[in-house]
Amino acid sequence: MTARQHQQRFESLLHEHRGIVFKVACLYSRSATDREDLVQEISVQLWRSFGGYDEARAKFSTWMYRIALNVAISQARRERWSEASRFEPLEAHHLETVGGGEPIAEPDERLQAMYTFIGQLDPLNRALILLYLEDRSYTEIAEILGISETNVATKISRIKQKMRGRMTGAVTTVRA
């Protein structure tokens, strides 16, 4: 494959799976500028790593998630934001970007509470929930994050339990 063909293949795959990059950037950024920077950094790392991508070993989307999440988590750890300014809570307008620009319906209180909950999770757990909500298998999540399937199952179970407790409290608070 020529260098030009290699680049065209990368650009085609990146365009086809660009939603992954935007989803990860939305979950790990505090502002629009930070999201743009993270999208750019993820894209650069994807390009740098593309020569080592082996489609016989992993689907492109799995490989892409692994790189995107590693870049985002590394950046979050490097910046060591204070608790007060750590992350902008995940809001519905973030998901508009991910959905290809199509507006989405105004979320109800429970959905808004779920976005807030996810935005407050640590970077690894946020990645777990993102992949879980994307209907990725535990095997694929484990492969992307480099942890065991048992660890994936345990962490997701704990997050869901914690979320149920928060959501029950949020619904009670909203209705009261």
Side-chain angles (χ1 to χ4, degrees), residues 28-81:
Y28 288 89
S29 301
R30 295 176 291 169
S31 67
T33 303
D34 289 343
R35 279 188 287 285
E36 289 172 15
D37 290 346
L38 186 53
V39 164
Q40 209 168 34
E41 181 62 27
I42 290 169
S43 298
V44 167
Q45 290 303 323
L46 286 166
W47 173 246
R48 286 181 180 161
S49 302
F50 189 62
Y53 168 61
D54 179 4
E55 57 189 289
R57 289 186 53 212
K59 295 188 310 187
F60 184 79
S61 60
T62 301
W63 176 84
M64 186 180 213
Y65 261 122
R66 173 173 257 175
I67 302 246
L69 288 167
N70 282 337
V71 169
I73 290 169
S74 293
Q75 182 170 316
R77 287 180 179 152
R78 239 183 348 263
E79 292 182 3
R80 299 177 194 249
W81 294 318

Short mmCIF file of all heavy atoms in Angstrom, two decimals, residues 28-81:
data_model
loop_
_atom_site.label_atom_id
_atom_site.label_comp_id
_atom_site.label_asym_id
_atom_site.label_seq_id
_atom_site.Cartn_x
_atom_site.Cartn_y
_atom_site.Cartn_z
N TYR A 28 -14.79 13.91 28.52
CA TYR A 28 -13.55 14.20 29.24
C TYR A 28 -13.11 15.65 29.13
O TYR A 28 -11.98 15.95 29.46
CB TYR A 28 -12.43 13.28 28.76
CG TYR A 28 -12.62 11.86 29.24
CD1 TYR A 28 -13.36 10.96 28.50
CD2 TYR A 28 -12.10 11.45 30.46
CE1 TYR A 28 -13.56 9.67 28.95
CE2 TYR A 28 -12.29 10.17 30.91
CZ TYR A 28 -13.02 9.28 30.16
OH TYR A 28 -13.23 8.01 30.62
N SER A 29 -13.99 16.54 28.71
CA SER A 29 -13.60 17.94 28.53
C SER A 29 -14.51 18.86 29.33
O SER A 29 -15.68 18.57 29.52
CB SER A 29 -13.68 18.33 27.05
OG SER A 29 -12.84 17.51 26.30
N ARG A 30 -13.93 19.99 29.73
CA ARG A 30 -14.67 20.96 30.52
C ARG A 30 -15.34 22.03 29.67
O ARG A 30 -16.31 22.63 30.08
CB ARG A 30 -13.73 21.66 31.51
CG ARG A 30 -13.15 20.74 32.54
CD ARG A 30 -12.17 21.48 33.41
NE ARG A 30 -11.00 21.80 32.60
CZ ARG A 30 -10.04 22.61 32.97
NH1 ARG A 30 -10.10 23.22 34.12
NH2 ARG A 30 -9.01 22.84 32.20
N SER A 31 -14.82 22.30 28.50
CA SER A 31 -15.37 23.40 27.69
C SER A 31 -15.25 23.02 26.21
O SER A 31 -14.60 22.04 25.85
CB SER A 31 -14.57 24.67 27.94
OG SER A 31 -13.24 24.52 27.45
N ALA A 32 -15.86 23.86 25.37
CA ALA A 32 -15.79 23.62 23.93
C ALA A 32 -14.35 23.66 23.43
O ALA A 32 -13.95 22.83 22.59
CB ALA A 32 -16.65 24.65 23.19
N THR A 33 -13.56 24.58 23.95
CA THR A 33 -12.16 24.68 23.54
C THR A 33 -11.39 23.43 23.95
O THR A 33 -10.61 22.89 23.16
CB THR A 33 -11.50 25.93 24.17
OG1 THR A 33 -12.25 27.07 23.76
CG2 THR A 33 -10.06 26.07 23.75
N ASP A 34 -11.63 22.96 25.17
CA ASP A 34 -10.97 21.73 25.63
C ASP A 34 -11.38 20.55 24.77
O ASP A 34 -10.56 19.68 24.45
CB ASP A 34 -11.32 21.44 27.09
CG ASP A 34 -10.67 22.39 28.06
OD1 ASP A 34 -9.70 23.09 27.66
OD2 ASP A 34 -11.13 22.45 29.22
N ARG A 35 -12.68 20.49 24.38
CA ARG A 35 -13.15 19.40 23.53
C ARG A 35 -12.45 19.43 22.18
O ARG A 35 -12.02 18.39 21.68
CB ARG A 35 -14.66 19.48 23.33
CG ARG A 35 -15.45 18.90 24.49
CD ARG A 35 -16.92 18.81 24.20
NE ARG A 35 -17.61 20.08 24.22
CZ ARG A 35 -17.93 20.77 25.31
NH1 ARG A 35 -17.62 20.29 26.50
NH2 ARG A 35 -18.56 21.92 25.24
N GLU A 36 -12.33 20.61 21.59
CA GLU A 36 -11.64 20.73 20.30
C GLU A 36 -10.19 20.28 20.41
O GLU A 36 -9.69 19.57 19.54
CB GLU A 36 -11.70 22.18 19.81
CG GLU A 36 -13.07 22.62 19.37
CD GLU A 36 -13.15 24.12 19.07
OE1 GLU A 36 -12.10 24.78 18.92
OE2 GLU A 36 -14.28 24.62 19.00
N ASP A 37 -9.52 20.70 21.49
CA ASP A 37 -8.13 20.30 21.70
C ASP A 37 -8.01 18.79 21.86
O ASP A 37 -7.09 18.17 21.32
CB ASP A 37 -7.54 21.00 22.93
CG ASP A 37 -7.34 22.49 22.73
OD1 ASP A 37 -7.39 22.96 21.56
OD2 ASP A 37 -7.13 23.19 23.74
N LEU A 38 -8.93 18.21 22.62
CA LEU A 38 -8.88 16.77 22.85
C LEU A 38 -9.17 16.00 21.56
O LEU A 38 -8.51 15.00 21.28
CB LEU A 38 -9.85 16.36 23.96
CG LEU A 38 -9.79 14.90 24.40
CD1 LEU A 38 -8.38 14.46 24.77
CD2 LEU A 38 -10.75 14.66 25.56
N VAL A 39 -10.13 16.46 20.77
CA VAL A 39 -10.41 15.82 19.49
C VAL A 39 -9.16 15.83 18.62
O VAL A 39 -8.79 14.83 18.00
CB VAL A 39 -11.60 16.50 18.76
CG1 VAL A 39 -11.65 16.11 17.28
CG2 VAL A 39 -12.91 16.17 19.44
N GLN A 40 -8.49 16.96 18.60
CA GLN A 40 -7.27 17.08 17.80
C GLN A 40 -6.18 16.14 18.32
O GLN A 40 -5.51 15.46 17.54
CB GLN A 40 -6.79 18.54 17.86
CG GLN A 40 -6.04 18.98 16.66
CD GLN A 40 -5.87 20.50 16.67
OE1 GLN A 40 -5.74 21.13 17.72
NE2 GLN A 40 -5.86 21.08 15.48
N GLU A 41 -5.98 16.11 19.63
CA GLU A 41 -4.95 15.24 20.22
C GLU A 41 -5.26 13.76 19.96
O GLU A 41 -4.36 12.98 19.63
CB GLU A 41 -4.84 15.49 21.73
CG GLU A 41 -3.78 14.66 22.42
CD GLU A 41 -2.36 14.93 21.92
OE1 GLU A 41 -2.07 16.06 21.44
OE2 GLU A 41 -1.52 14.01 21.99
N ILE A 42 -6.52 13.38 20.09
CA ILE A 42 -6.90 11.99 19.81
C ILE A 42 -6.63 11.67 18.34
O ILE A 42 -6.08 10.61 18.02
CB ILE A 42 -8.39 11.75 20.17
CG1 ILE A 42 -8.59 11.79 21.69
CG2 ILE A 42 -8.87 10.42 19.59
CD1 ILE A 42 -10.04 11.82 22.13
N SER A 43 -7.00 12.57 17.45
CA SER A 43 -6.79 12.34 16.01
C SER A 43 -5.30 12.18 15.69
O SER A 43 -4.93 11.30 14.91
CB SER A 43 -7.38 13.49 15.20
OG SER A 43 -8.78 13.56 15.41
N VAL A 44 -4.48 13.00 16.30
CA VAL A 44 -3.03 12.90 16.08
C VAL A 44 -2.51 11.54 16.57
O VAL A 44 -1.74 10.87 15.88
CB VAL A 44 -2.28 14.06 16.79
CG1 VAL A 44 -0.78 13.81 16.86
CG2 VAL A 44 -2.57 15.38 16.10
N GLN A 45 -2.95 11.13 17.75
CA GLN A 45 -2.49 9.85 18.29
C GLN A 45 -3.00 8.68 17.46
O GLN A 45 -2.29 7.68 17.30
CB GLN A 45 -2.91 9.70 19.76
CG GLN A 45 -2.19 10.64 20.69
CD GLN A 45 -0.68 10.48 20.63
OE1 GLN A 45 -0.14 9.40 20.48
NE2 GLN A 45 0.01 11.60 20.71
N LEU A 46 -4.22 8.80 16.94
CA LEU A 46 -4.73 7.75 16.07
C LEU A 46 -3.86 7.63 14.82
O LEU A 46 -3.52 6.52 14.40
CB LEU A 46 -6.19 8.04 15.68
CG LEU A 46 -7.23 7.81 16.77
CD1 LEU A 46 -8.55 8.44 16.37
CD2 LEU A 46 -7.39 6.32 17.05
N TRP A 47 -3.50 8.77 14.23
CA TRP A 47 -2.66 8.75 13.03
C TRP A 47 -1.29 8.16 13.34
O TRP A 47 -0.78 7.33 12.60
CB TRP A 47 -2.54 10.15 12.43
CG TRP A 47 -1.54 10.21 11.31
CD1 TRP A 47 -0.36 10.88 11.30
CD2 TRP A 47 -1.62 9.54 10.04
NE1 TRP A 47 0.30 10.68 10.11
CE2 TRP A 47 -0.46 9.85 9.31
CE3 TRP A 47 -2.56 8.70 9.46
CZ2 TRP A 47 -0.21 9.36 8.03
CZ3 TRP A 47 -2.32 8.20 8.18
CH2 TRP A 47 -1.16 8.54 7.49
N ARG A 48 -0.69 8.58 14.45
CA ARG A 48 0.63 8.06 14.83
C ARG A 48 0.61 6.55 15.05
O ARG A 48 1.59 5.87 14.79
CB ARG A 48 1.12 8.74 16.10
CG ARG A 48 1.56 10.16 15.90
CD ARG A 48 2.05 10.75 17.20
NE ARG A 48 2.47 12.13 17.01
CZ ARG A 48 2.60 13.01 17.98
NH1 ARG A 48 2.36 12.67 19.24
NH2 ARG A 48 2.97 14.24 17.71
N SER A 49 -0.51 6.05 15.54
CA SER A 49 -0.62 4.63 15.87
C SER A 49 -1.16 3.79 14.71
O SER A 49 -1.13 2.56 14.78
CB SER A 49 -1.54 4.44 17.08
OG SER A 49 -1.05 5.16 18.18
N PHE A 50 -1.66 4.43 13.69
CA PHE A 50 -2.34 3.71 12.61
C PHE A 50 -1.45 2.69 11.92
O PHE A 50 -1.92 1.63 11.50
CB PHE A 50 -2.93 4.69 11.59
CG PHE A 50 -3.82 4.04 10.57
CD1 PHE A 50 -4.98 3.39 10.95
CD2 PHE A 50 -3.50 4.06 9.22
CE1 PHE A 50 -5.81 2.78 10.03
CE2 PHE A 50 -4.32 3.46 8.28
CZ PHE A 50 -5.48 2.81 8.68
N GLY A 51 -0.18 2.95 11.81
CA GLY A 51 0.75 2.00 11.20
C GLY A 51 0.78 0.67 11.94
O GLY A 51 1.05 -0.38 11.35
N GLY A 52 0.48 0.68 13.23
CA GLY A 52 0.48 -0.53 14.03
C GLY A 52 -0.88 -1.20 14.14
O GLY A 52 -1.01 -2.25 14.77
N TYR A 53 -1.91 -0.58 13.53
CA TYR A 53 -3.24 -1.18 13.61
C TYR A 53 -3.28 -2.45 12.78
O TYR A 53 -2.87 -2.49 11.63
CB TYR A 53 -4.30 -0.19 13.10
CG TYR A 53 -5.64 -0.82 12.87
CD1 TYR A 53 -6.34 -1.41 13.93
CD2 TYR A 53 -6.22 -0.88 11.60
CE1 TYR A 53 -7.57 -2.01 13.73
CE2 TYR A 53 -7.43 -1.47 11.40
CZ TYR A 53 -8.11 -2.04 12.46
OH TYR A 53 -9.33 -2.65 12.26
N ASP A 54 -3.78 -3.52 13.40
CA ASP A 54 -3.87 -4.82 12.75
C ASP A 54 -5.33 -5.24 12.74
O ASP A 54 -5.87 -5.64 13.76
CB ASP A 54 -3.01 -5.83 13.51
CG ASP A 54 -3.05 -7.23 12.92
OD1 ASP A 54 -3.68 -7.43 11.86
OD2 ASP A 54 -2.44 -8.13 13.53
N GLU A 55 -5.96 -5.15 11.57
CA GLU A 55 -7.39 -5.44 11.51
C GLU A 55 -7.70 -6.91 11.77
O GLU A 55 -8.85 -7.25 12.05
CB GLU A 55 -8.03 -4.94 10.22
CG GLU A 55 -7.45 -5.45 8.93
CD GLU A 55 -8.03 -4.70 7.76
OE1 GLU A 55 -9.22 -4.91 7.46
OE2 GLU A 55 -7.31 -3.91 7.13
N ALA A 56 -6.71 -7.77 11.72
CA ALA A 56 -6.92 -9.18 12.04
C ALA A 56 -7.07 -9.38 13.55
O ALA A 56 -7.69 -10.34 14.00
CB ALA A 56 -5.76 -10.03 11.52
N ARG A 57 -6.52 -8.44 14.34
CA ARG A 57 -6.56 -8.56 15.81
C ARG A 57 -7.73 -7.85 16.45
O ARG A 57 -8.20 -8.25 17.51
CB ARG A 57 -5.26 -8.02 16.40
CG ARG A 57 -4.08 -8.93 16.12
CD ARG A 57 -2.82 -8.50 16.82
NE ARG A 57 -3.04 -8.33 18.24
CZ ARG A 57 -2.41 -7.45 18.98
NH1 ARG A 57 -1.49 -6.67 18.46
NH2 ARG A 57 -2.66 -7.35 20.26
N ALA A 58 -8.21 -6.75 15.85
CA ALA A 58 -9.29 -5.98 16.47
C ALA A 58 -10.06 -5.20 15.42
O ALA A 58 -9.50 -4.79 14.41
CB ALA A 58 -8.71 -5.02 17.51
N LYS A 59 -11.34 -4.99 15.71
CA LYS A 59 -12.13 -4.11 14.85
C LYS A 59 -11.57 -2.70 14.98
O LYS A 59 -11.03 -2.33 16.03
CB LYS A 59 -13.60 -4.10 15.29
CG LYS A 59 -14.30 -5.41 15.12
CD LYS A 59 -15.80 -5.34 15.37
CE LYS A 59 -16.14 -4.66 16.66
NZ LYS A 59 -17.56 -4.72 17.02
N PHE A 60 -11.74 -1.90 13.95
CA PHE A 60 -11.22 -0.54 13.98
C PHE A 60 -11.85 0.25 15.13
O PHE A 60 -11.17 0.99 15.84
CB PHE A 60 -11.45 0.19 12.65
CG PHE A 60 -10.84 1.56 12.62
CD1 PHE A 60 -9.48 1.72 12.40
CD2 PHE A 60 -11.61 2.68 12.85
CE1 PHE A 60 -8.89 2.98 12.40
CE2 PHE A 60 -11.04 3.96 12.85
CZ PHE A 60 -9.68 4.10 12.62
N SER A 61 -13.16 0.09 15.34
CA SER A 61 -13.83 0.84 16.40
C SER A 61 -13.28 0.49 17.78
O SER A 61 -13.11 1.36 18.64
CB SER A 61 -15.34 0.62 16.36
OG SER A 61 -15.65 -0.75 16.54
N THR A 62 -12.95 -0.78 18.00
CA THR A 62 -12.36 -1.20 19.28
C THR A 62 -10.99 -0.57 19.46
O THR A 62 -10.68 -0.01 20.51
CB THR A 62 -12.23 -2.74 19.32
OG1 THR A 62 -13.53 -3.31 19.17
CG2 THR A 62 -11.60 -3.21 20.62
N TRP A 63 -10.17 -0.63 18.43
CA TRP A 63 -8.84 -0.03 18.46
C TRP A 63 -8.95 1.48 18.68
O TRP A 63 -8.21 2.06 19.48
CB TRP A 63 -8.13 -0.36 17.14
CG TRP A 63 -6.79 0.26 16.97
CD1 TRP A 63 -5.60 -0.21 17.45
CD2 TRP A 63 -6.49 1.47 16.25
NE1 TRP A 63 -4.58 0.64 17.07
CE2 TRP A 63 -5.10 1.66 16.33
CE3 TRP A 63 -7.26 2.39 15.55
CZ2 TRP A 63 -4.48 2.77 15.74
CZ3 TRP A 63 -6.64 3.48 14.96
CH2 TRP A 63 -5.25 3.65 15.07
N MET A 64 -9.89 2.11 17.99
CA MET A 64 -10.07 3.55 18.09
C MET A 64 -10.49 3.96 19.51
O MET A 64 -9.99 4.93 20.06
CB MET A 64 -11.10 4.02 17.06
CG MET A 64 -11.26 5.51 16.97
SD MET A 64 -12.50 5.87 15.71
CE MET A 64 -11.88 7.39 15.07
N TYR A 65 -11.45 3.23 20.09
CA TYR A 65 -11.87 3.51 21.47
C TYR A 65 -10.68 3.42 22.42
O TYR A 65 -10.51 4.26 23.29
CB TYR A 65 -12.94 2.53 21.94
CG TYR A 65 -14.34 3.06 21.86
CD1 TYR A 65 -15.32 2.42 21.12
CD2 TYR A 65 -14.72 4.21 22.56
CE1 TYR A 65 -16.61 2.90 21.06
CE2 TYR A 65 -16.00 4.70 22.50
CZ TYR A 65 -16.95 4.03 21.75
OH TYR A 65 -18.24 4.51 21.69
N ARG A 66 -9.88 2.38 22.25
CA ARG A 66 -8.74 2.19 23.15
C ARG A 66 -7.80 3.41 23.10
O ARG A 66 -7.41 3.95 24.13
CB ARG A 66 -7.97 0.93 22.80
CG ARG A 66 -6.69 0.80 23.62
CD ARG A 66 -6.03 -0.50 23.41
NE ARG A 66 -6.35 -1.27 24.60
CZ ARG A 66 -6.05 -2.51 24.80
NH1 ARG A 66 -5.44 -3.19 23.87
NH2 ARG A 66 -6.35 -3.11 25.92
N ILE A 67 -7.46 3.85 21.91
CA ILE A 67 -6.56 5.00 21.77
C ILE A 67 -7.23 6.27 22.31
O ILE A 67 -6.63 7.02 23.09
CB ILE A 67 -6.17 5.20 20.29
CG1 ILE A 67 -5.52 3.95 19.77
CG2 ILE A 67 -5.35 6.47 20.10
CD1 ILE A 67 -4.12 3.96 19.38
N ALA A 68 -8.47 6.51 21.90
CA ALA A 68 -9.18 7.73 22.31
C ALA A 68 -9.31 7.80 23.83
O ALA A 68 -9.05 8.85 24.44
CB ALA A 68 -10.55 7.80 21.64
N LEU A 69 -9.69 6.71 24.45
CA LEU A 69 -9.85 6.72 25.91
C LEU A 69 -8.51 6.84 26.62
O LEU A 69 -8.40 7.53 27.63
CB LEU A 69 -10.61 5.46 26.36
CG LEU A 69 -12.10 5.47 26.00
CD1 LEU A 69 -12.71 4.10 26.20
CD2 LEU A 69 -12.85 6.53 26.82
N ASN A 70 -7.49 6.19 26.10
CA ASN A 70 -6.17 6.33 26.71
C ASN A 70 -5.68 7.77 26.66
O ASN A 70 -5.14 8.30 27.64
CB ASN A 70 -5.15 5.40 26.05
CG ASN A 70 -5.29 3.97 26.50
OD1 ASN A 70 -5.81 3.69 27.57
ND2 ASN A 70 -4.83 3.05 25.68
N VAL A 71 -5.87 8.43 25.52
CA VAL A 71 -5.46 9.83 25.39
C VAL A 71 -6.26 10.70 26.36
O VAL A 71 -5.70 11.53 27.09
CB VAL A 71 -5.64 10.34 23.93
CG1 VAL A 71 -5.48 11.85 23.84
CG2 VAL A 71 -4.66 9.64 23.00
N ALA A 72 -7.58 10.50 26.40
CA ALA A 72 -8.43 11.33 27.26
C ALA A 72 -8.13 11.11 28.74
O ALA A 72 -8.02 12.07 29.51
CB ALA A 72 -9.91 11.02 26.98
N ILE A 73 -7.97 9.87 29.14
CA ILE A 73 -7.68 9.57 30.55
C ILE A 73 -6.30 10.10 30.93
O ILE A 73 -6.12 10.69 32.00
CB ILE A 73 -7.82 8.06 30.83
CG1 ILE A 73 -9.30 7.66 30.75
CG2 ILE A 73 -7.24 7.69 32.18
CD1 ILE A 73 -9.55 6.16 30.74
N SER A 74 -5.34 9.93 30.05
CA SER A 74 -3.99 10.46 30.33
C SER A 74 -4.02 11.97 30.47
O SER A 74 -3.38 12.52 31.38
CB SER A 74 -3.02 10.08 29.21
OG SER A 74 -2.81 8.70 29.20
N GLN A 75 -4.74 12.63 29.60
CA GLN A 75 -4.84 14.09 29.68
C GLN A 75 -5.52 14.52 30.97
O GLN A 75 -5.08 15.46 31.63
CB GLN A 75 -5.58 14.65 28.47
CG GLN A 75 -5.65 16.16 28.48
CD GLN A 75 -6.16 16.70 27.15
OE1 GLN A 75 -5.75 16.25 26.10
NE2 GLN A 75 -7.05 17.66 27.23
N ALA A 76 -6.59 13.82 31.35
CA ALA A 76 -7.30 14.16 32.58
C ALA A 76 -6.39 13.99 33.80
O ALA A 76 -6.38 14.84 34.70
CB ALA A 76 -8.55 13.29 32.73
N ARG A 77 -5.63 12.94 33.81
CA ARG A 77 -4.70 12.72 34.92
C ARG A 77 -3.59 13.76 34.95
O ARG A 77 -3.19 14.22 36.01
CB ARG A 77 -4.09 11.32 34.82
CG ARG A 77 -5.06 10.24 35.18
CD ARG A 77 -4.44 8.88 35.07
NE ARG A 77 -5.41 7.85 35.44
CZ ARG A 77 -5.39 6.62 34.98
NH1 ARG A 77 -4.44 6.24 34.15
NH2 ARG A 77 -6.30 5.77 35.35
N ARG A 78 -3.10 14.12 33.77
CA ARG A 78 -2.02 15.11 33.67
C ARG A 78 -2.47 16.47 34.19
O ARG A 78 -1.72 17.17 34.85
CB ARG A 78 -1.60 15.25 32.20
CG ARG A 78 -0.19 14.96 31.91
CD ARG A 78 0.25 15.18 30.48
NE ARG A 78 -0.72 15.38 29.46
CZ ARG A 78 -1.20 14.44 28.63
NH1 ARG A 78 -0.78 13.21 28.75
NH2 ARG A 78 -2.07 14.73 27.72
N GLU A 79 -3.67 16.83 33.86
CA GLU A 79 -4.15 18.17 34.24
C GLU A 79 -4.51 18.27 35.71
O GLU A 79 -4.51 19.37 36.27
CB GLU A 79 -5.33 18.55 33.35
CG GLU A 79 -4.88 18.77 31.92
CD GLU A 79 -6.01 19.21 31.01
OE1 GLU A 79 -7.14 19.41 31.49
OE2 GLU A 79 -5.75 19.36 29.82
N ARG A 80 -4.87 17.17 36.33
CA ARG A 80 -5.17 17.14 37.78
C ARG A 80 -6.04 18.32 38.21
O ARG A 80 -5.66 19.12 39.07
CB ARG A 80 -3.89 17.13 38.60
CG ARG A 80 -3.04 15.92 38.33
CD ARG A 80 -1.74 16.01 39.12
NE ARG A 80 -0.81 15.05 38.61
CZ ARG A 80 -0.43 13.97 39.27
NH1 ARG A 80 -0.86 13.75 40.47
NH2 ARG A 80 0.42 13.14 38.72
N TRP A 81 -7.20 18.38 37.59
CA TRP A 81 -8.12 19.46 37.90
C TRP A 81 -8.59 19.36 39.34
O TRP A 81 -8.72 18.29 39.91
CB TRP A 81 -9.35 19.39 37.01
CG TRP A 81 -9.04 19.63 35.58
CD1 TRP A 81 -8.20 20.56 35.07
CD2 TRP A 81 -9.56 18.92 34.46
NE1 TRP A 81 -8.17 20.49 33.71
CE2 TRP A 81 -8.99 19.49 33.30
CE3 TRP A 81 -10.45 17.87 34.31
CZ2 TRP A 81 -9.30 19.05 32.04
CZ3 TRP A 81 -10.75 17.43 33.04
CH2 TRP A 81 -10.17 18.02 31.93
#
